Amino acid sequence: AGRARADAGVTLFDPEMEEAVGRRHVLERELRHAVEREELRLLYQPKIDLGTGCVIGMEALVRWQHPELGLVSPAQFIPVAEETGVIVAIGDWVLREACRQARVWHDAGHKELVVAVNVSGRQFRVHDLTDRIRAALADAGLPPQALEVEITETAVMGDVSDAVRMLNEWHDMGVSVAIDDFGTGYSSLGYLRQLPLTTLKIDQSFVRDLPEGDTDRAVARTILQLAEVLDLKVVAEGIETPAHVDVLKGLGCHLGQGYHYARPLPPADFLAFLEAHTVEA
Ligand code: C2E
Ligand code: MG
Ligand code: MG
Ligand code: MG
């Protein structure tokens, strides 16, 4: 019986699964040192005024460049960072670096730029996040009006009363708040009304199949109507074609980001893009 059980145990781990478990273990171990070893980078994707084509701000997107693992995407390492708690250190680094970089661009004359930073669920539930945001802004010398925090519906709805309190703290400070990937979660209208939000971001899954996707068009239209009622800005994510731009503009969406305009860019490339897409003062 003992042997049978042992055999059964062995069959639970096929090579593919063992490899996945091994990889996950390596990511977990290496991620603990990523910040101190300075392996993280931020790329900046321009946010565009669809009417003028001008840059209104940028979203900071983190990258992990590991000497042996190579470039690891956030889709892979953010979930691991969340589960292990390393997200707190990573999130802090992202916040500080994004504020520092935004200040550099403000000093170069681009004072209109708002930098958006993603905050994930676990990071959101760390209770001193407001203090960390305040400290990052102060140390960078960046006005709070130049920072937007992007957070998902799921993170907010986890503990609504807590979310209301935190978002109010940010609002009072002057920091903007965007709901990311909007339409993919389960936010209730009643709760949305209670939150001091600035922006809804239409998830890229609803943009991808425009103009043919009738359902997606209806979803986009509904989000825009909701935003009008709640007096919020709307940013469309994942704009890849001129047709996407046309449909969104037709629906009354004025802001967006996506490969059609620019991929997430290293700071020097972002600055070059910015200088080519700025309104003459
Ligand atoms: P997100 O915040 O919704 O970011 C948008 C993602 O869509 C980014 O992927 C961006 O590179 C990608 N994207 C932008 N334009 C297009 C387009 O036209 N087409 C397509 N197909 N994709 C486009 P990325 O950089 O791989 O980030 C993935 C997710 O990882 C982010 O989704 C966000 O949830 C998370 N993430 C990224 N950076 C950070 C960070 O600093 N902190 C935290 N907590 N999460 C982050
Ligand atoms: Mg985002
Ligand atoms: Mg998104
Ligand atoms: Mg997303």
Side-chain angles (χ1 to χ4, degrees):
R3 177 176 301 175
R5 213 175 300 142
D7 287 351
V10 168
T11 57
L12 275 178
F13 289 89
D14 59 79
E16 221 169 90
M17 198 166 147
E18 208 170 280
E19 204 180 290
V21 170
R23 160 107 180 154
R24 153 83 210 214
H25 190 77
V26 170
L27 285 184
E28 206 179 299
R29 190 191 62 213
E30 293 301 302
L31 201 50
R32 292 188 191 285
H33 309 288
V35 172
E36 71 198 51
R37 289 178 185 158
E38 301 184 358
E39 293 168 354
L40 299 180
R41 301 278 177 274
L42 289 183
L43 299 182
Y44 298 87
Q45 186 174 41
K47 294 198 191 187
I48 306 290
D49 179 321
L50 303 184
T52 64
C54 290
V55 179
I56 55 155
M58 58 282 179
E59 177 173 8
L61 293 157
V62 71
R63 295 293 180 267
W64 179 22
Q65 181 73 57
H66 185 275
E68 278 110 44
L69 298 170
L71 191 66
V72 189
S73 85
Q76 275 189 50
F77 75 81
I78 293 289
V80 179
E82 286 238 290
E83 282 166 45
T84 56
V86 184
I87 191 65
V88 176
I90 292 178
D92 222 37
W93 180 84
V94 168
L95 200 51
R96 292 181 158 276
E97 176 60 16
C99 289
R100 187 200 62 77
Q101 182 63 73
R103 169 67 197 266
V104 170
W105 288 325
H106 272 220
D107 286 349
H110 303 282
K111 299 228 183 290
E112 76 288 355
L113 293 181
V114 174
V115 66
V117 171
N118 292 282
V119 165
S120 52
R122 168 105 182 238
Q123 200 183 342
F124 185 61
R125 282 182 286 279
V126 172
H127 284 257
D128 63 347
L129 184 55
T130 299
D131 294 332
R132 289 170 187 264
I133 292 173
R134 195 178 283 116
L137 287 166
D139 290 353
L142 190 72
Q145 290 71 22
L147 178 66
E148 180 164 70
V149 176
E150 295 191 4
I151 189 154
T152 63
E153 293 165 85
T154 321
V156 170
M157 295 308 147
D159 184 340
V160 177
S161 63
D162 228 36
V164 170
R165 181 183 55 77
M166 299 223 337
L167 267 54
N168 274 313
E169 287 174 358
W170 304 350
H171 176 80
D172 292 347
M173 217 193 296
V175 171
S176 303
V177 180
I179 301 288
D180 206 349
D181 306 339
F182 191 72
T184 61
Y186 297 90
S187 36
S188 111
L189 256 179
Y191 290 139
L192 271 183
R193 288 181 49 223
Q194 293 179 36
L195 300 171
L197 304 173
T198 330
T199 310
L200 299 179
K201 295 190 76 180
I202 302 179
D203 189 64
Q204 54 191 48
S205 63
F206 304 117
V207 173
R208 194 177 303 134
D209 296 328
L210 298 175
E212 284 82 18
D214 290 338
T215 317
D216 293 338
R217 185 197 295 257
V219 170
R221 185 185 289 117
T222 304
I223 294 174
L224 283 152
Q225 285 167 348
L226 176 63
E228 200 176 327
V229 172
L230 297 175
D231 195 22
L232 303 175
K233 289 190 278 186
V234 176
V235 174
E237 297 189 285
I239 298 179
E240 294 188 351
T241 68
H244 289 162
V245 181
D246 289 344
V247 177
L248 287 163
K249 282 206 288 197
L251 291 171
C253 181
H254 306 298
L255 307 171
Q257 59 188 103
Y259 298 167
H260 170 66
Y261 295 103
R263 291 186 174 255
L265 303 168
D269 295 352
F270 178 84
L271 186 61
F273 185 90
L274 182 61
E275 315 248 86
H277 299 83
T278 307
V279 224
E280 294 298 320

